[in-house]
Amino acid sequence: MRAAVVRSFGGPEQVEIADVAVPEPGPGQVRIKVAAGALNPVDAAVRAGAFGGAGKTLGLGWDVAGTVDAVGVAAAWGVGDPVVALTPSVGVPLGAHAEYVVVAADAVAAAPASVDAVHAGTLPLNGLTAAQALDLLDLAAGDRLLVTGAAGAVGGFAVQLAAHRGIEVTGHARAGDEELVRSLGAARFTADGVEPGSVDGVLDAAVLGAPALAWVRDGGAFVAVRDGALPEAERGVRTENVWVRPDGGRLAELVRLVDEGVLTLRVAETYALQDAAKAHARLAEGGLRGRLVIVP
């Protein structure tokens, strides 16, 4: 089968399409025939060597939408089931940007019924990141949350999820994104920031760091979505990184919210698997309001 991999670190030109063996599911695993999967900034970071692994073949792709193709022992899925899953691809030889991928059965959820596989393939990584970040913030209905990068994939999901919980959301993004951010459920919008200490929590999807921490009230909470981007705690503000993890049960909840119209799945462009390097180059250009999706 074909899979997108990197063997040397660098720019988009380092992405190769390799012929590799079809993986076999072990106990508690399923094999998915991939229909689509988003390209995320973390894939570019793997390609550039941010997570190490020099001298190894590294797979790309975390998001997968497709159908179950084979099951291992004690895997509670059936061949032909349409599914979505998160398969972390740091330091592994095969990721989800491939024709087939093997994942833990408990990382899998039934695919949304209301959207196609291309859109479904944008949900797992960014949806779970947003949901798990909100868990860490531990805000209640009526609390005030500021989301940086509110027009992006993680930020957009966070705005929608928080608003659905009754949290008062301020979206921080570029001025030209105000209409989009408000359409996602933000009660307020800012392109410049807010008064220091005026919100109960910040979800820092844009990796602003210390300037965004200043907006949190004394004793509030601050969650960053990228390792190494956590500012030094001050004023009793609790600071944490979100480390996204596979969770089929939580993913199923997000799928339900997609089918109920609470969550919006945004696709910018699609690329065939053989054009994965071109997709990486487009990602590097920026300016996207939706995910690029790789289609084997």
Side-chain angles (χ1 to χ4, degrees), residues 32-236:
I32 299 171
K33 180 176 173 57
V34 180
L39 173 64
N40 292 286
V42 68
D43 295 306
V46 170
R47 185 202 72 224
F51 301 101
K56 299 179 180 179
T57 297
L58 301 178
L60 298 169
W62 290 52
D63 288 311
V64 57
T67 54
V68 174
D69 172 74
V71 298
V73 176
W77 293 94
V79 172
D81 288 343
V83 295
V84 289
L86 174 65
T87 172
S89 294
V90 168
V92 299
L94 180 64
H97 292 163
E99 293 179 305
Y100 296 89
V101 67
V102 166
V103 301
D106 61 6
V108 176
S114 58
V115 299
D116 60 20
V118 169
H119 284 80
T122 68
L123 177 63
L125 175 61
N126 295 291
L128 284 170
T129 299
Q132 292 170 10
L134 289 173
D135 290 347
L136 291 173
L137 285 164
D138 194 25
L139 299 178
D143 285 347
R144 301 157 298 169
L145 169 67
L146 187 142
V147 178
T148 73
V154 172
F157 283 138
V159 170
Q160 292 186 304
L161 289 169
H164 183 64
R165 299 180 185 183
I167 295 168
E168 183 182 295
V169 181
T170 297
H172 180 277
R174 297 183 303 184
D177 290 321
E178 180 172 0
E179 182 178 356
L180 168 62
V181 172
R182 288 189 179 275
S183 76
L184 297 173
R188 294 179 173 80
F189 176 86
T190 179
D192 302 315
V194 295
E195 289 295 319
S198 64
V199 296
D200 299 297
V202 163
L203 197 166
D204 191 17
V207 198
L208 300 184
L213 180 67
W215 300 331
V216 182
R217 66 167 173 80
D218 294 0
F222 177 98
V223 172
V225 302
R226 187 181 302 172
D227 182 29
L230 201 61
E232 187 173 346
E234 59 180 44
R235 300 179 290 107

